[in-house]
Amino acid sequence: MTLGVTLSSTHRQLPVDATVGLAREAHGAGLHSAWFGQTFAYDSPTLAAIVGREVPGLHVGTAALPVFGRHPLLVSSQAQTAQAATGGRYHLGLALGTRHLTEAAFGLPYQRPVGLLREFLTALRPLLDTGEADFHGELLTATTPYSAAVPGARPPVPVLVAAMGPQALRVSGELADGILPFLAGPRALAEHIVPAVTAAARAAGRPAPRIVALVPGVVTADPEGLRQRAAEALALYGTIPSYQRVIELSGAEGAAGLAVLGDEEAVAAEVGRYRDAGATEVVFTATDLGGEEARRRTWKLLGELSGGPSAGSLG
């Protein structure tokens, strides 16, 4: 199992050069991947492409681009450019987003989200594989009068979806390479999420999907004190129905109850629980909540658990 960290989020926006510096530190610690959330600030595929090119060997990913307000042709161009720039180390994450942000920010009705996801993935897949598309759906159209292939964008960009609900998991298993569940604890993964997406992939004749679990976590000597800060940082997710559901399925009282906080032994044990629940990769988020010393301890542990700089690869 490979391990990574997020380097940007809604509460952490750094200058590009500072982000590159952090990515070098993460790679030096033995981490395999760095992921970038899509906010209203940086364009995450562009930032990932810059970081991946500046830090050879580090895999980079977007977690995740909402499909509302975007088009498969444009996303394909972004993803393929990032793939070519990084030498095949880019991973595209997509998401349904939320009703509030979709309607308030984009002015778009949040209608038939799973249907849109299915059509988006159906149109996007051939674009990434061959540079060609001829898709006419109910919700979108994507056609290529000439090739949309980007030279050097090989292997084809892997596509993951931030899916946790039954319908989104079914679509992701059929059409994507894996999923990016956030705030889904080991119980929810093992009993609900992994079986559903794996069964959908098997029924579609696809390989077993990647399960990239995004987990808020920090190595700290003060877990209870830090849990209050985690509760504040994660408060928004407790108001979103899809997260409320998965938090409940995980057996937690709130989002902060899923934060992995403790010393090295305790955090390592929790990483093992995610692995046993079916996660193929674990990406720690919010590692800066405890300050710089705690972040460095966290990254050092994760690097050691993943086997150091020379161990394994994603994909």
Side-chain angles (χ1 to χ4, degrees):
M1 183 177 68
T2 59
L3 299 170
V5 291
T6 58
L7 293 185
S8 71
S9 63
T10 54
H11 73 282
R12 182 184 174 96
Q13 298 292 340
L14 300 173
V16 171
D17 287 347
T19 303
V20 170
L22 278 177
R24 288 198 178 103
E25 183 181 340
H27 186 52
L31 291 162
H32 287 278
S33 62
W35 296 77
F36 303 88
Q38 180 61 48
T39 68
F40 294 118
Y42 291 121
D43 178 71
S44 55
T46 302
L47 186 57
I50 293 168
V51 169
R53 191 164 183 85
E54 290 288 320
V55 188
L58 182 70
H59 286 254
V60 290
T62 296
L65 282 177
V67 294
F68 280 95
R70 291 175 172 81
H71 191 277
L73 282 166
L74 300 180
V75 171
S76 170
S77 295
Q78 289 179 294
Q80 288 190 75
T81 301
Q83 184 74 324
T86 60
R89 289 177 282 113
Y90 176 68
H91 306 256
L92 172 64
L94 299 175
L96 291 175
T98 67
R99 179 180 298 277
H100 173 72
L101 287 178
T102 298
E103 297 183 346
F106 292 105
L108 297 172
Y110 192 76
Q111 296 176 351
R112 299 181 61 186
V114 175
L116 178 61
L117 175 65
R118 178 177 291 280
E119 292 196 6
F120 199 102
L121 290 171
T122 301
L124 180 64
R125 182 97 267 168
L127 285 166
L128 297 177
D129 291 344
T130 67
E132 307 290 341
D134 186 16
F135 179 78
H136 301 266
E138 295 182 46
L139 303 174
L140 63 85
T141 294
T143 63
T144 49
Y146 48 83
S147 177
V150 174
R154 285 291 178 264
V157 178
V159 180
L160 306 116
V161 180
M164 295 185 292
Q167 295 183 70
L169 288 170
R170 185 180 308 113
V171 172
S172 300
E174 293 173 3
L175 298 171
D177 299 298
I179 57 171
L180 291 158
F182 177 50
L183 294 177
R187 181 193 298 180
L189 285 176
E191 297 179 5
H192 300 278
I193 292 174
V194 175
V197 72
T198 301
R202 185 183 303 115
R206 293 185 56 80
R210 290 167 56 188
I211 313 294
V212 185
L214 275 66
V215 181
V218 182
V219 173
T220 176
D222 182 23
E224 293 311 311
L226 198 57
R227 198 166 297 280
Q228 180 57 42
R229 294 187 64 184
E232 295 169 2
L234 299 170
L236 171 66
Y237 297 98
T239 68
I240 301 172
S242 58
Y243 285 101
Q244 292 172 341
R245 175 182 177 275
V246 79
I247 290 168
E248 181 179 353
L249 290 175
S250 298
E253 294 185 3
L258 292 167
V260 175
L261 306 171
D263 60 17
E264 282 81 356
E265 183 177 357
V267 171
E270 285 300 301
V271 170
R273 289 186 65 216
Y274 277 90
R275 178 197 60 219
D276 294 342
T280 60
E281 302 150 51
V282 171
V283 174
F284 265 41
T285 73
T287 59
D288 58 322
L289 277 179
E292 282 299 290
E293 181 180 354
R295 178 188 64 77
R296 291 191 179 98
R297 283 180 66 187
T298 306
W299 288 19
K300 181 176 183 292
L301 172 67
L302 295 177
E304 292 171 350
L305 292 175
S306 63
S310 63
S313 64
L314 294 172

